Amino acid sequence: MRDPYSVLGVSPQASEDEIKKAYRTLAKKYHPDNYANTEFSDIAGEKMKEINEAYDEILRRRAEGSSTAQNQAGQGTAYQNARVRQLIAAGRLGEAEVILDGEQNRDAEWHYLKGLCAMYRRSYHDAAGFFATAHQMAPNNGEYANMYRRFQGAQQNYGSFGGGTYRKMDACDICSNLICLDCLCECMGGDLISCC
Amino acid sequence: MLGYVKCDEGELLVKHQRLYRAVYCGLCHSIRVTGMHALLPFHNYDFVFLALFRMLVTGEPLSLERDRCFLHPFRKGKQRLCHNPTLAYTAFAALVLTVEKMRDDLLDSDVSFSRRCMIRLTLPRLIRALRRYEKNESQMKGLSEKVAALLAEGRELEKASAELDILCENFARCLSLLFSFGTSGKEARLLSGMGDLLGRYLYTLDALDDREKDLKSGAFNPVLKNGVLPSDKALCQMDLVLSFMLGEMKKILDLVEGEPNLLAICENIIGRGLPATAHPILNPERGDKNERPV
């Protein structure tokens, strides 16, 4: 299954209202009634099914996330995931980082949240490292994988543009350039390389 | 495709404008690479939509490179799309349709002497390029014959003064074939559906555009009923039908999952460019006919 957030076209940090709004917009767009009596009704049906599944998956994940946080808070051992997420969403990165830094249990979620803080601070190298670790620790988590792929994708895109533009200089280039320069100097009455 | 399929550049983001032009330049480059140089004078933005939509549906990777323009060698180089199978196919489809349009013009009594001379000079070169390409690319064989047969059928229907819907159907089948040739499954269905609707839309628009010219010359035009121009009510009805077709095209576009930039340009063409072209045709007194979105 594709990342449910990308199916709905929202960010993983989106609020419940935003997710509901995106779901309603898409459901309206791909509603079977819109494609009734057309040859594309089956394709639209598949799309609608995918949207419904994505929405259900997001709701399930969020419900799981909040219950986990509540359990952990009850035990008094875990850090406050939901609180940190809220702080990051509100742009209060300093407070979020204070909570994260005081945490002893550094699991995939911790690395992911640290990565988000670093990303919003534009420390992209740090962020890439945190996201890679989070993805490595929990490879089945779509949210971590999505963020990890974002960095990977960006690297590939810009790599391909830059790669073809510049060519490294090799020994033949250096020799031919020196010979050309020597010829030019000799034309002007001088000599750059006396042996040739 | 009759000169109506353009984007509304004023509504495009700069990056989309650049991509749109890059596809145009890429198509020009592909025409040269595939040895269809005779087609260059007829190269326009119409077939860019076919290339964009096919790339969107087939998921062809976009790869850009900077190059100087063949026609403007002293200008600064611009980005263009690298040669790829979709661009090669689009060039071939453009060649097929141009050849058939010229053959159609030769049979048309309204065509001016100068255009007739131009066609007589150019057509043999275009046909040679077509045969050469078909010989090299065996999978393209059969397309030109099918398109020719459909357009010949359309001519026969026009001679028999058929209804607008029947004539639209014929051109729709032709564009449906051009859009979906060489594809299969879901891709073919989406491409064929878009070609079908675009064919109906363009045929109706072309008939409306030529209504006054055909009224003067006495040529057949399906929108002229008993030699009379359509009433305002009939024009409103046609406007509704055209808008419905655009809505259906948009629905097909919604089902396509592809490169977001290509999708944005296609949305612009369907949602902005085509209505902008239709507006002056449907409202001749309110719009400037020579106003062009591109």
Side-chain angles (χ1 to χ4, degrees):
Chain A
M1 187 188 166
R2 276 173 61 198
D3 174 38
Y5 291 101
S6 66
V7 172
L8 293 191
V10 292
S11 84
Q13 287 81 43
S15 66
E16 278 194 18
D17 282 346
E18 284 171 330
I19 290 166
K20 205 176 272 180
K21 199 176 166 189
Y23 170 72
R24 280 186 185 157
T25 310
L26 288 173
K28 208 171 160 186
K29 195 167 162 183
Y30 296 105
H31 195 277
D33 287 353
N34 280 344
Y35 290 88
N37 304 321
T38 68
E39 56 184 309
F40 304 107
S41 54
D42 57 331
I43 302 176
E46 279 172 27
K47 187 85 188 160
M48 192 68 218
K49 195 179 160 198
E50 191 184 22
I51 291 162
N52 282 332
E53 283 175 358
Y55 185 61
D56 291 344
E57 176 67 15
I58 291 173
L59 292 185
R60 192 186 62 74
R61 279 187 196 177
R62 293 206 165 193
E64 268 179 16
S66 59
S67 65
T68 313
Q70 279 166 7
N71 291 340
Q72 285 168 344
Q75 289 159 5
T77 55
Y79 56 90
Q80 301 167 332
N81 283 349
R83 173 82 186 130
V84 173
R85 276 178 186 266
Q86 276 173 2
L87 289 171
I88 292 172
R92 290 154 68 184
L93 301 176
E95 292 170 55
E97 277 179 328
V98 167
I99 298 174
L100 287 171
D101 290 342
E103 185 51 50
Q104 298 300 313
N105 177 21
R106 298 190 169 184
D107 59 2
E109 177 74 3
W110 184 89
H111 282 92
Y112 176 72
L113 294 173
K114 275 295 273 186
L116 282 182
C117 290
M119 194 177 77
Y120 287 124
R121 287 196 186 285
R122 302 194 177 184
S123 304
Y124 296 123
H125 293 288
D126 291 346
F130 283 122
F131 290 137
T133 313
H135 178 59
Q136 206 177 359
M137 291 168 89
N140 295 326
N141 187 306
E143 201 177 4
Y144 306 160
N146 188 32
M147 204 48 101
Y148 175 66
R149 272 199 300 272
R150 264 178 72 180
F151 273 83
Q152 290 289 312
Q155 194 182 27
Q156 279 163 12
N157 286 341
Y158 292 104
S160 68
F161 276 108
T165 316
Y166 300 105
R167 193 165 62 94
K168 282 181 185 170
M169 192 172 266
D170 59 14
C172 290
D173 287 334
I174 294 167
C175 289
S176 55
N177 285 345
L178 283 171
I179 291 166
C180 286
L181 280 171
D182 186 43
C183 290
L184 286 168
C185 286
E186 280 170 7
C187 287
M188 301 290 286
D191 191 13
L192 181 69
I193 307 164
S194 54
C195 61
C196 74
Chain B
M1 280 182 280
L2 314 169
Y4 300 119
V5 193
K6 291 162 189 168
C7 75
D8 186 352
E9 261 193 82
E11 293 287 338
L12 279 179
L13 294 179
V14 174
K15 64 172 181 175
H16 295 149
Q17 258 180 27
R18 284 186 187 149
L19 182 60
Y20 185 59
R21 284 162 192 258
V23 176
Y24 175 82
C25 295
L27 189 55
C28 173
H29 177 250
S30 288
I31 288 172
R32 284 181 285 127
V33 167
T34 48
M36 301 174 193
H37 295 77
L39 184 65
L40 283 176
F42 309 100
H43 175 46
N44 59 33
Y45 276 95
D46 276 4
F47 279 91
V48 172
F49 179 69
L50 172 58
L52 286 167
F53 192 64
R54 258 183 93 104
M55 281 193 284
L56 186 66
V57 174
T58 57
E60 183 91 52
L62 292 181
S63 148
L64 297 169
E65 63 185 353
R66 198 168 277 277
D67 195 10
R68 280 186 191 278
C69 177
F70 160 71
L71 292 171
H72 308 100
F74 299 111
R75 282 195 198 160
K76 196 181 163 191
K78 285 183 180 171
Q79 274 195 333
R80 71 160 165 76
L81 206 64
C82 298
H83 180 65
N84 66 33
T86 305
L87 286 182
Y89 171 75
T90 310
F92 178 63
L95 181 63
V96 168
L97 209 60
T98 308
V99 165
E100 291 311 321
K101 175 93 174 61
M102 285 189 171
R103 281 179 174 155
D104 192 45
D105 283 353
L106 280 182
L107 295 171
D108 196 347
S109 54
D110 290 350
V111 175
S112 65
F113 177 74
S114 56
R115 176 150 175 84
R116 211 171 271 275
C117 290
M118 188 275 290
I119 292 173
R120 291 234 178 263
L121 284 171
T122 326
L123 192 57
R125 289 186 65 209
L126 289 172
I127 293 173
R128 264 204 304 280
L130 184 75
R131 299 283 167 254
R132 199 168 47 234
Y133 190 75
E134 279 182 333
K135 199 177 165 186
N136 295 338
E137 304 285 329
S138 55
Q139 73 273 22
M140 295 297 169
K141 271 185 184 163
L143 178 67
S144 62
E145 284 81 7
K146 284 178 189 166
V147 170
L150 281 169
L151 292 179
E153 199 182 313
R155 277 196 293 273
E156 291 303 316
L157 287 169
E158 281 183 1
K159 274 183 196 166
S161 306
E163 288 289 314
L164 179 61
D165 274 336
I166 298 171
L167 292 163
C168 282
E169 168 80 30
N170 185 268
F171 193 61
R173 276 163 60 201
C174 179
L175 277 203
S176 171
L177 177 69
L178 277 174
F179 268 64
S180 62
F181 191 77
T183 56
S184 59
K186 186 181 158 186
E187 286 177 6
R189 285 176 62 197
L190 292 168
L191 287 163
S192 165
M194 182 61 87
D196 183 279
L197 284 162
L198 191 65
R200 285 169 204 277
Y201 187 90
L202 294 179
Y203 193 89
T204 312
L205 209 58
D206 192 42
L208 280 168
D209 200 13
D210 290 344
R211 63 188 187 273
E212 282 174 14
K213 191 187 86 185
D214 289 341
L215 185 68
K216 278 181 197 158
S217 67
F220 169 73
N221 189 320
V223 299
L224 299 176
K225 300 279 179 198
N226 306 318
V228 181
L229 282 173
S231 62
D232 282 353
K233 196 180 166 191
L235 283 178
C236 281
Q237 180 69 25
M238 284 189 188
D239 195 5
L240 279 178
V241 173
L242 290 175
S243 302
F244 172 78
M245 287 177 193
L246 288 176
E248 293 296 295
M249 283 188 233
K250 177 74 175 65
K251 277 185 194 171
I252 295 180
L253 201 59
D254 286 341
L255 294 174
V256 182
E257 285 167 12
E259 217 280 326
N261 294 320
L262 292 179
L263 196 63
I265 302 172
C266 288
E267 275 177 359
N268 176 289
I269 292 172
I270 290 171
R272 301 269 183 181
L274 286 173
T277 326
H279 181 74
I281 294 171
L282 285 160
N283 307 287
E285 70 281 2
R286 272 178 274 166
D288 179 4
K289 207 172 173 181
N290 295 322
E291 189 178 84
R292 286 174 171 230
V294 177

